[in-house]
Amino acid sequence: DTEVTQTPKHLVMGMTNKKSLKCEQHMGHRAMYWYKQKAKKPPELMFVYSYEKLSINESVPSRFSPECPNSSLLNLHLHALQPEDSALYLCASRRGTGDGYTFGSGTRLTVV
Amino acid sequence: GESVGLHLPTLSVQEGDNSIINCAYSNSASDYFIWYKQESGKGPQFIIDIRSNMDKRQGQRVTVLLNKTVKHLSLQIAATQPGDSAVYFCAEKEYGGATNKLIFGTGTLLAVQP
């Protein structure tokens, strides 16, 4: 298995909803990432997990809450989002010591 | 020709021509670089990478050149095909530390004309 799998592919949520994005990889990668990408813009780093511990939070608002339950799974919990949070949310993983970042196909989030 | 749009530079080429996409990176401490291809509605797809101790690396129909003196990276695509039409991003990783940050450049839209 050489893929990063993200679910759901599309999500529409209201500003008062709570939802979660899921990311899974079975490549034994020990670093996992969340990126946010707006249309016609590059992906922007949000969070980095290294060996299941949060190592970087790029000043992301608290309405985004990451979680890494185990080495294969990464979640992003969403609560009280704003319409401007609508974007493509990408998950990536990387081997602990080597290089090679693998990205998932993303979750297209729309906040209404 | 090449033009700079409001958000995304665009490179328009004829099918069969060679394409050159350029990228200026910002951090002289970056030690690893990747080119990604992103098609509409999909995640970034790895094309080729290069470490800072190299200045050239070749793959299938693609070549990456690295000039550390001027912090410049380029991607050359030989015999460009319609399927190459996509947005191309360069990305850099800073050397050392526990951060393992991968930071993306602005991106270039490659439009291949049949």
Side-chain angles (χ1 to χ4, degrees):
Chain A
D1 189 348
T2 59
E3 291 186 345
V4 173
T5 303
Q6 290 188 243
T7 54
K9 293 194 182 305
H10 302 275
L11 178 63
V12 179
M13 62 184 291
M15 289 188 285
T16 59
N17 292 160
K18 287 185 180 180
K19 297 286 184 183
S20 296
L21 310 184
K22 180 180 173 181
C23 173
E24 200 163 0
Q25 57 87 15
H26 297 285
M27 296 178 280
H29 290 182
R30 303 314 299 266
M32 296 185 76
Y33 305 75
W34 280 115
Y35 283 81
K36 173 183 177 180
Q37 186 178 25
K38 302 283 276 185
K40 298 186 178 181
K41 294 286 191 177
E44 295 179 353
L45 184 64
M46 300 175 71
F47 301 105
V48 180
Y49 272 82
S50 180
Y51 291 86
E52 299 147 57
K53 293 192 183 330
L54 182 65
S55 61
I56 295 176
N57 176 339
E58 292 285 89
S59 303
V60 179
S62 60
R63 57 186 184 269
F64 296 91
S65 175
E67 178 197 19
C68 189
N70 58 58
S71 60
S72 299
L73 192 56
L74 185 67
N75 298 320
L76 186 62
H77 303 298
L78 314 172
H79 174 53
L81 294 194
Q82 303 297 310
E84 58 265 28
D85 296 322
S86 298
L88 180 68
Y89 287 84
L90 293 162
C91 175
S93 70
R94 174 183 184 265
R95 286 173 292 168
T97 54
D99 294 311
Y101 296 73
T102 303
F103 280 82
S105 295
T107 294
R108 175 71 61 188
L109 175 69
T110 303
V111 182
V112 297
Chain B
E2 184 172 334
S3 64
V4 177
L6 188 61
H7 295 297
L8 204 60
T10 300
L11 177 64
S12 184
V13 300
Q14 291 294 124
E15 181 178 357
D17 287 352
N18 296 334
S19 303
I20 299 177
I21 301 172
N22 296 302
C23 174
Y25 64 93
S26 57
N27 191 341
S28 57
S30 294
D31 67 337
Y32 177 62
F33 304 87
I34 309 174
W35 279 101
Y36 285 97
K37 172 185 180 183
Q38 188 174 26
E39 296 173 285
S40 181
K42 297 185 178 180
Q45 176 189 354
F46 174 91
I47 301 173
I48 192 168
D49 59 359
I50 189 168
R51 295 183 183 275
S52 58
N53 61 354
M54 304 171 69
D55 53 21
K56 179 179 180 179
R57 190 159 188 232
Q58 289 184 290
Q60 186 178 11
R61 276 203 310 122
V62 294
T63 300
V64 55
L65 299 178
L66 175 62
N67 185 331
K68 294 182 289 294
T69 302
V70 294
K71 294 191 286 187
H72 183 267
L73 199 63
S74 69
L75 176 69
Q76 300 177 2
I77 304 174
T80 313
Q81 302 167 0
D84 295 326
S85 293
V87 177
Y88 289 80
F89 291 102
C90 67
E92 60 182 300
K93 180 184 79 67
E94 184 177 301
Y95 171 78
T99 63
N100 296 318
K101 282 188 180 184
L102 187 68
I103 304 301
F104 283 78
T106 307
T108 297
L109 173 62
L110 177 64
V112 182
Q113 310 300 322

PDB file of all heavy atoms in Angstrom, chain A residues 21-42:
ATOM      1  N   LEU A  21     -12.307  15.239   9.610  1.00  0.00           N
ATOM      2  CA  LEU A  21     -11.654  14.716   8.420  1.00  0.00           C
ATOM      3  C   LEU A  21     -10.710  13.605   8.860  1.00  0.00           C
ATOM      4  O   LEU A  21     -10.071  13.693   9.915  1.00  0.00           O
ATOM      5  CB  LEU A  21     -10.867  15.814   7.694  1.00  0.00           C
ATOM      6  CG  LEU A  21     -11.595  17.122   7.399  1.00  0.00           C
ATOM      7  CD1 LEU A  21     -10.689  18.048   6.579  1.00  0.00           C
ATOM      8  CD2 LEU A  21     -12.906  16.884   6.700  1.00  0.00           C
ATOM      9  N   LYS A  22     -10.597  12.593   7.994  1.00  0.00           N
ATOM     10  CA  LYS A  22      -9.776  11.432   8.347  1.00  0.00           C
ATOM     11  C   LYS A  22      -8.703  11.201   7.297  1.00  0.00           C
ATOM     12  O   LYS A  22      -8.937  11.402   6.101  1.00  0.00           O
ATOM     13  CB  LYS A  22     -10.665  10.199   8.462  1.00  0.00           C
ATOM     14  CG  LYS A  22      -9.952   8.910   8.813  1.00  0.00           C
ATOM     15  CD  LYS A  22     -10.952   7.759   8.901  1.00  0.00           C
ATOM     16  CE  LYS A  22     -10.268   6.422   9.077  1.00  0.00           C
ATOM     17  NZ  LYS A  22     -11.229   5.307   9.130  1.00  0.00           N
ATOM     18  N   CYS A  23      -7.534  10.786   7.762  1.00  0.00           N
ATOM     19  CA  CYS A  23      -6.412  10.490   6.881  1.00  0.00           C
ATOM     20  C   CYS A  23      -5.774   9.196   7.366  1.00  0.00           C
ATOM     21  O   CYS A  23      -5.539   9.021   8.570  1.00  0.00           O
ATOM     22  CB  CYS A  23      -5.405  11.638   6.921  1.00  0.00           C
ATOM     23  SG  CYS A  23      -3.873  11.302   6.037  1.00  0.00           S
ATOM     24  N   GLU A  24      -5.460   8.307   6.442  1.00  0.00           N
ATOM     25  CA  GLU A  24      -4.900   7.009   6.809  1.00  0.00           C
ATOM     26  C   GLU A  24      -3.772   6.622   5.853  1.00  0.00           C
ATOM     27  O   GLU A  24      -3.880   6.829   4.637  1.00  0.00           O
ATOM     28  CB  GLU A  24      -6.008   5.957   6.764  1.00  0.00           C
ATOM     29  CG  GLU A  24      -5.727   4.702   7.537  1.00  0.00           C
ATOM     30  CD  GLU A  24      -6.991   3.896   7.796  1.00  0.00           C
ATOM     31  OE1 GLU A  24      -8.088   4.303   7.379  1.00  0.00           O
ATOM     32  OE2 GLU A  24      -6.860   2.834   8.432  1.00  0.00           O
ATOM     33  N   GLN A  25      -2.698   6.071   6.414  1.00  0.00           N
ATOM     34  CA  GLN A  25      -1.617   5.533   5.579  1.00  0.00           C
ATOM     35  C   GLN A  25      -1.059   4.286   6.254  1.00  0.00           C
ATOM     36  O   GLN A  25      -1.002   4.212   7.475  1.00  0.00           O
ATOM     37  CB  GLN A  25      -0.516   6.594   5.346  1.00  0.00           C
ATOM     38  CG  GLN A  25       0.127   7.184   6.586  1.00  0.00           C
ATOM     39  CD  GLN A  25       1.297   6.404   7.140  1.00  0.00           C
ATOM     40  OE1 GLN A  25       1.861   5.530   6.471  1.00  0.00           O
ATOM     41  NE2 GLN A  25       1.695   6.712   8.373  1.00  0.00           N
ATOM     42  N   HIS A  26      -0.645   3.333   5.422  1.00  0.00           N
ATOM     43  CA  HIS A  26      -0.109   2.064   5.931  1.00  0.00           C
ATOM     44  C   HIS A  26       1.264   1.811   5.337  1.00  0.00           C
ATOM     45  O   HIS A  26       1.606   0.671   5.005  1.00  0.00           O
ATOM     46  CB  HIS A  26      -1.086   0.931   5.616  1.00  0.00           C
ATOM     47  CG  HIS A  26      -2.414   1.098   6.289  1.00  0.00           C
ATOM     48  ND1 HIS A  26      -2.594   0.874   7.636  1.00  0.00           N
ATOM     49  CD2 HIS A  26      -3.615   1.495   5.803  1.00  0.00           C
ATOM     50  CE1 HIS A  26      -3.863   1.121   7.951  1.00  0.00           C
ATOM     51  NE2 HIS A  26      -4.499   1.505   6.861  1.00  0.00           N
ATOM     52  N   MET A  27       2.041   2.897   5.203  1.00  0.00           N
ATOM     53  CA  MET A  27       3.389   2.795   4.663  1.00  0.00           C
ATOM     54  C   MET A  27       4.433   2.812   5.765  1.00  0.00           C
ATOM     55  O   MET A  27       5.622   2.828   5.482  1.00  0.00           O
ATOM     56  CB  MET A  27       3.641   3.956   3.688  1.00  0.00           C
ATOM     57  CG  MET A  27       2.732   3.908   2.466  1.00  0.00           C
ATOM     58  SD  MET A  27       2.972   5.304   1.346  1.00  0.00           S
ATOM     59  CE  MET A  27       2.018   6.567   2.190  1.00  0.00           C
ATOM     60  N   GLY A  28       3.972   2.873   7.013  1.00  0.00           N
ATOM     61  CA  GLY A  28       4.928   2.939   8.110  1.00  0.00           C
ATOM     62  C   GLY A  28       5.562   4.309   8.284  1.00  0.00           C
ATOM     63  O   GLY A  28       6.568   4.451   8.987  1.00  0.00           O
ATOM     64  N   HIS A  29       4.994   5.325   7.618  1.00  0.00           N
ATOM     65  CA  HIS A  29       5.522   6.675   7.752  1.00  0.00           C
ATOM     66  C   HIS A  29       5.251   7.215   9.146  1.00  0.00           C
ATOM     67  O   HIS A  29       4.153   7.039   9.693  1.00  0.00           O
ATOM     68  CB  HIS A  29       4.888   7.603   6.711  1.00  0.00           C
ATOM     69  CG  HIS A  29       5.339   7.310   5.321  1.00  0.00           C
ATOM     70  ND1 HIS A  29       4.918   8.065   4.236  1.00  0.00           N
ATOM     71  CD2 HIS A  29       6.175   6.387   4.809  1.00  0.00           C
ATOM     72  CE1 HIS A  29       5.492   7.594   3.138  1.00  0.00           C
ATOM     73  NE2 HIS A  29       6.248   6.570   3.467  1.00  0.00           N
ATOM     74  N   ARG A  30       6.230   7.907   9.733  1.00  0.00           N
ATOM     75  CA  ARG A  30       6.098   8.355  11.109  1.00  0.00           C
ATOM     76  C   ARG A  30       5.839   9.851  11.226  1.00  0.00           C
ATOM     77  O   ARG A  30       5.731  10.376  12.342  1.00  0.00           O
ATOM     78  CB  ARG A  30       7.338   7.960  11.915  1.00  0.00           C
ATOM     79  CG  ARG A  30       7.611   6.458  11.900  1.00  0.00           C
ATOM     80  CD  ARG A  30       6.365   5.608  12.157  1.00  0.00           C
ATOM     81  NE  ARG A  30       5.773   5.856  13.450  1.00  0.00           N
ATOM     82  CZ  ARG A  30       6.062   5.130  14.534  1.00  0.00           C
ATOM     83  NH1 ARG A  30       6.943   4.146  14.455  1.00  0.00           N
ATOM     84  NH2 ARG A  30       5.465   5.394  15.679  1.00  0.00           N
ATOM     85  N   ALA A  31       5.805  10.567  10.131  1.00  0.00           N
ATOM     86  CA  ALA A  31       5.448  11.990  10.147  1.00  0.00           C
ATOM     87  C   ALA A  31       4.212  12.175   9.280  1.00  0.00           C
ATOM     88  O   ALA A  31       4.134  11.646   8.167  1.00  0.00           O
ATOM     89  CB  ALA A  31       6.591  12.847   9.611  1.00  0.00           C
ATOM     90  N   MET A  32       3.251  12.902   9.804  1.00  0.00           N
ATOM     91  CA  MET A  32       2.021  13.160   9.059  1.00  0.00           C
ATOM     92  C   MET A  32       1.678  14.636   9.159  1.00  0.00           C
ATOM     93  O   MET A  32       1.987  15.302  10.150  1.00  0.00           O
ATOM     94  CB  MET A  32       0.874  12.283   9.585  1.00  0.00           C
ATOM     95  CG  MET A  32       1.134  10.791   9.371  1.00  0.00           C
ATOM     96  SD  MET A  32      -0.236   9.729   9.837  1.00  0.00           S
ATOM     97  CE  MET A  32      -1.361   9.981   8.459  1.00  0.00           C
ATOM     98  N   TYR A  33       1.015  15.136   8.106  1.00  0.00           N
ATOM     99  CA  TYR A  33       0.837  16.572   7.923  1.00  0.00           C
ATOM    100  C   TYR A  33      -0.596  16.898   7.506  1.00  0.00           C
ATOM    101  O   TYR A  33      -1.203  16.139   6.760  1.00  0.00           O
ATOM    102  CB  TYR A  33       1.761  17.078   6.798  1.00  0.00           C
ATOM    103  CG  TYR A  33       3.223  16.761   6.986  1.00  0.00           C
ATOM    104  CD1 TYR A  33       3.712  15.481   6.773  1.00  0.00           C
ATOM    105  CD2 TYR A  33       4.112  17.762   7.364  1.00  0.00           C
ATOM    106  CE1 TYR A  33       5.061  15.198   6.940  1.00  0.00           C
ATOM    107  CE2 TYR A  33       5.459  17.480   7.528  1.00  0.00           C
ATOM    108  CZ  TYR A  33       5.919  16.207   7.321  1.00  0.00           C
ATOM    109  OH  TYR A  33       7.257  15.930   7.492  1.00  0.00           O
ATOM    110  N   TRP A  34      -1.053  18.068   7.943  1.00  0.00           N
ATOM    111  CA  TRP A  34      -2.266  18.663   7.388  1.00  0.00           C
ATOM    112  C   TRP A  34      -1.895  19.958   6.677  1.00  0.00           C
ATOM    113  O   TRP A  34      -1.165  20.785   7.238  1.00  0.00           O
ATOM    114  CB  TRP A  34      -3.303  18.983   8.464  1.00  0.00           C
ATOM    115  CG  TRP A  34      -4.110  17.818   8.933  1.00  0.00           C
ATOM    116  CD1 TRP A  34      -4.122  17.261  10.183  1.00  0.00           C
ATOM    117  CD2 TRP A  34      -5.072  17.067   8.172  1.00  0.00           C
ATOM    118  NE1 TRP A  34      -4.995  16.212  10.239  1.00  0.00           N
ATOM    119  CE2 TRP A  34      -5.597  16.063   9.021  1.00  0.00           C
ATOM    120  CE3 TRP A  34      -5.528  17.133   6.855  1.00  0.00           C
ATOM    121  CZ2 TRP A  34      -6.559  15.136   8.604  1.00  0.00           C
ATOM    122  CZ3 TRP A  34      -6.479  16.211   6.433  1.00  0.00           C
ATOM    123  CH2 TRP A  34      -6.993  15.230   7.303  1.00  0.00           C
ATOM    124  N   TYR A  35      -2.416  20.094   5.456  1.00  0.00           N
ATOM    125  CA  TYR A  35      -2.261  21.320   4.684  1.00  0.00           C
ATOM    126  C   TYR A  35      -3.644  21.824   4.294  1.00  0.00           C
ATOM    127  O   TYR A  35      -4.574  21.048   4.096  1.00  0.00           O
ATOM    128  CB  TYR A  35      -1.484  21.066   3.384  1.00  0.00           C
ATOM    129  CG  TYR A  35       0.005  20.920   3.528  1.00  0.00           C
ATOM    130  CD1 TYR A  35       0.580  19.715   3.922  1.00  0.00           C
ATOM    131  CD2 TYR A  35       0.859  21.989   3.245  1.00  0.00           C
ATOM    132  CE1 TYR A  35       1.955  19.582   4.041  1.00  0.00           C
ATOM    133  CE2 TYR A  35       2.234  21.863   3.358  1.00  0.00           C
ATOM    134  CZ  TYR A  35       2.767  20.658   3.749  1.00  0.00           C
ATOM    135  OH  TYR A  35       4.134  20.527   3.864  1.00  0.00           O
ATOM    136  N   LYS A  36      -3.726  23.141   4.112  1.00  0.00           N
ATOM    137  CA  LYS A  36      -4.939  23.772   3.608  1.00  0.00           C
ATOM    138  C   LYS A  36      -4.601  24.427   2.274  1.00  0.00           C
ATOM    139  O   LYS A  36      -3.563  25.101   2.161  1.00  0.00           O
ATOM    140  CB  LYS A  36      -5.426  24.835   4.597  1.00  0.00           C
ATOM    141  CG  LYS A  36      -6.586  25.686   4.109  1.00  0.00           C
ATOM    142  CD  LYS A  36      -6.930  26.760   5.147  1.00  0.00           C
ATOM    143  CE  LYS A  36      -8.042  27.674   4.664  1.00  0.00           C
ATOM    144  NZ  LYS A  36      -8.370  28.722   5.680  1.00  0.00           N
ATOM    145  N   GLN A  37      -5.462  24.242   1.282  1.00  0.00           N
ATOM    146  CA  GLN A  37      -5.195  24.832  -0.021  1.00  0.00           C
ATOM    147  C   GLN A  37      -6.434  25.550  -0.546  1.00  0.00           C
ATOM    148  O   GLN A  37      -7.472  24.934  -0.772  1.00  0.00           O
ATOM    149  CB  GLN A  37      -4.746  23.768  -1.030  1.00  0.00           C
ATOM    150  CG  GLN A  37      -4.315  24.362  -2.364  1.00  0.00           C
ATOM    151  CD  GLN A  37      -3.821  23.323  -3.345  1.00  0.00           C
ATOM    152  OE1 GLN A  37      -4.191  22.150  -3.275  1.00  0.00           O
ATOM    153  NE2 GLN A  37      -2.946  23.734  -4.250  1.00  0.00           N
ATOM    154  N   LYS A  38      -6.290  26.849  -0.774  1.00  0.00           N
ATOM    155  CA  LYS A  38      -7.337  27.637  -1.412  1.00  0.00           C
ATOM    156  C   LYS A  38      -7.118  27.595  -2.927  1.00  0.00           C
ATOM    157  O   LYS A  38      -6.020  27.296  -3.406  1.00  0.00           O
ATOM    158  CB  LYS A  38      -7.293  29.086  -0.914  1.00  0.00           C
ATOM    159  CG  LYS A  38      -7.437  29.220   0.592  1.00  0.00           C
ATOM    160  CD  LYS A  38      -8.858  29.044   1.063  1.00  0.00           C
ATOM    161  CE  LYS A  38      -9.652  30.315   0.953  1.00  0.00           C
ATOM    162  NZ  LYS A  38     -11.019  30.150   1.525  1.00  0.00           N
ATOM    163  N   ALA A  39      -8.156  27.943  -3.655  1.00  0.00           N
ATOM    164  CA  ALA A  39      -8.104  27.872  -5.116  1.00  0.00           C
ATOM    165  C   ALA A  39      -6.969  28.736  -5.677  1.00  0.00           C
ATOM    166  O   ALA A  39      -6.775  29.881  -5.259  1.00  0.00           O
ATOM    167  CB  ALA A  39      -9.434  28.319  -5.702  1.00  0.00           C
ATOM    168  N   LYS A  40      -6.211  28.169  -6.602  1.00  0.00           N
ATOM    169  CA  LYS A  40      -5.115  28.848  -7.294  1.00  0.00           C
ATOM    170  C   LYS A  40      -3.993  29.284  -6.362  1.00  0.00           C
ATOM    171  O   LYS A  40      -3.217  30.191  -6.682  1.00  0.00           O
ATOM    172  CB  LYS A  40      -5.631  30.051  -8.089  1.00  0.00           C
ATOM    173  CG  LYS A  40      -6.620  29.678  -9.188  1.00  0.00           C
ATOM    174  CD  LYS A  40      -6.994  30.878 -10.029  1.00  0.00           C
ATOM    175  CE  LYS A  40      -7.945  30.478 -11.140  1.00  0.00           C
ATOM    176  NZ  LYS A  40      -8.316  31.617 -12.001  1.00  0.00           N
ATOM    177  N   LYS A  41      -3.907  28.645  -5.199  1.00  0.00           N
ATOM    178  CA  LYS A  41      -2.855  28.946  -4.243  1.00  0.00           C
ATOM    179  C   LYS A  41      -2.094  27.669  -3.900  1.00  0.00           C
ATOM    180  O   LYS A  41      -2.617  26.570  -4.078  1.00  0.00           O
ATOM    181  CB  LYS A  41      -3.467  29.534  -2.961  1.00  0.00           C
ATOM    182  CG  LYS A  41      -4.125  30.880  -3.140  1.00  0.00           C
ATOM    183  CD  LYS A  41      -3.101  31.968  -3.302  1.00  0.00           C
ATOM    184  CE  LYS A  41      -3.735  33.333  -3.205  1.00  0.00           C
ATOM    185  NZ  LYS A  41      -2.733  34.417  -3.301  1.00  0.00           N
ATOM    186  N   PRO A  42      -0.867  27.801  -3.397  1.00  0.00           N
ATOM    187  CA  PRO A  42      -0.140  26.600  -2.966  1.00  0.00           C
ATOM    188  C   PRO A  42      -0.696  26.068  -1.658  1.00  0.00           C
ATOM    189  O   PRO A  42      -1.319  26.819  -0.890  1.00  0.00           O
ATOM    190  CB  PRO A  42       1.295  27.108  -2.786  1.00  0.00           C
ATOM    191  CG  PRO A  42       1.149  28.561  -2.498  1.00  0.00           C
ATOM    192  CD  PRO A  42      -0.050  29.025  -3.279  1.00  0.00           C
TER     193      PRO A  42
END
